[in-house]
Amino acid sequence: MRFVHATTFAVAVTVLATGVTALQGDPDRVVPGGGITAAGWHGNVIDAGSIKQGRTINDSKFAMNGATIEINAGPGGIYWNPANVGTGDFTVKATFKETNYLKHSSHPHPYGVFIAGAGLDSAKPSLLYCSAYGNGTFIVRGFAPAAPNDIFRLGGNRPTAHDSINKAGDDATTTQEVALSVKAGNIECAVNGAVVATHPVTEVIGADKLSTTNGIAGIRVGHNLDVAVTGFAVSK
């Protein structure tokens, strides 16, 4: 019996140590002068790792510079203006310029757009996002209160490579246009003008997923990223 207890304790310590090591290897930074200063915009930290660190949206910086949205992310989060709503068939898109690829992280993190936003300022929001990474991959993923760990995935658990997605160069910058559309019963994720994933709307509607594809559209940014966003728009 003592052997079992000792083994269990050792495993627990190993798991705890591994989690701490992973966190120390890529923790959220705290951006000086953080907060949201763009009129009409709101934000929320929804990433589990950032929440465990006690981060808030004020640990990131979201500001307007002319027509450009400048985001210096500490924790990963979402940003939205409630005036941007998509219903029926529509497209939300924006162009993202990543300006410091891997400067603040040990591995790539995503940035893109989301649709179907509801309860965005709560601890358990609903939304579906398409995001690109500076290493040439993308992911389509959703948050829903009833989903396991609040997350559901489309097209697999890991980012997927696609030729249309740009990779960061030696200057640590890259630019991607990311679009997410509801069209003729399908959800389409497009990066740089090429559709990289198509899923029936029925795959995102369900008891542990979304209740509708209608809702607020906005911006999704992973942690420790610097991105300049232009051309954010919702259109029919």
Side-chain angles (χ1 to χ4, degrees), residues 63-94:
M64 294 294 298
N65 183 359
T68 300
I69 297 169
E70 295 181 344
I71 303 173
N72 306 106
I78 53 173
Y79 298 93
W80 71 94
N81 183 323
N84 297 314
V85 176
T87 59
D89 283 6
F90 66 94
T91 296
V92 56
K93 69 177 180 179

Side-chain angles (χ1 to χ4, degrees), residues 20-235:
V20 171
T21 300
L23 186 60
Q24 290 175 343
D26 199 15
D28 292 351
R29 61 177 174 159
V30 175
V31 179
I36 300 172
T37 57
W41 284 83
H42 305 266
N44 194 11
V45 173
I46 61 174
D47 294 59
S50 296
I51 293 170
K52 288 180 181 178
Q53 294 174 71
R55 297 290 181 243
T56 73
I57 204 66
N58 289 327
D59 293 323
S60 296
K61 186 176 181 180
F62 183 103
M64 294 294 298
N65 183 359
T68 300
I69 297 169
E70 295 181 344
I71 303 173
N72 306 106
I78 53 173
Y79 298 93
W80 71 94
N81 183 323
N84 297 314
V85 176
T87 59
D89 283 6
F90 66 94
T91 296
V92 56
K93 69 177 180 179
T95 298
F96 297 80
K97 182 177 181 180
E98 185 176 7
T99 57
N100 284 309
Y101 180 69
L102 296 185
K103 179 179 180 181
H104 308 293
S105 295
S106 60
H107 56 280
H109 294 292
Y111 42 87
V113 295
F114 72 80
I115 64 171
L120 297 179
D121 58 355
S122 72
K124 291 182 177 291
S126 293
L127 60 101
L128 178 73
Y129 69 88
C130 169
S131 291
Y133 294 74
N135 65 348
T137 62
F138 75 94
I139 194 165
V140 182
R141 182 180 286 176
F143 281 80
N149 298 316
D150 303 329
I151 295 173
F152 65 93
R153 300 169 175 85
L154 299 178
N157 291 337
R158 296 184 179 277
T160 303
H162 195 281
D163 290 343
S164 72
I165 304 173
N166 298 320
K167 296 181 180 180
D170 293 338
D171 62 353
T173 69
T174 188
T175 300
Q176 326 273 9
E177 182 190 74
V178 183
L180 191 55
S181 301
V182 181
K183 185 185 302 182
N186 289 316
I187 302 287
E188 289 186 352
C189 169
V191 182
N192 299 323
V195 175
V196 298
T198 302
H199 298 277
V201 167
T202 53
E203 286 188 15
V204 306
I205 302 295
D208 57 353
K209 297 180 182 179
L210 304 178
S211 60
T212 177
T213 56
N214 297 336
I216 295 173
I219 296 168
R220 160 74 171 143
V221 177
H223 73 156
N224 295 338
L225 285 168
D226 295 313
V227 292
V229 186
T230 55
F232 176 83
V234 180
S235 62

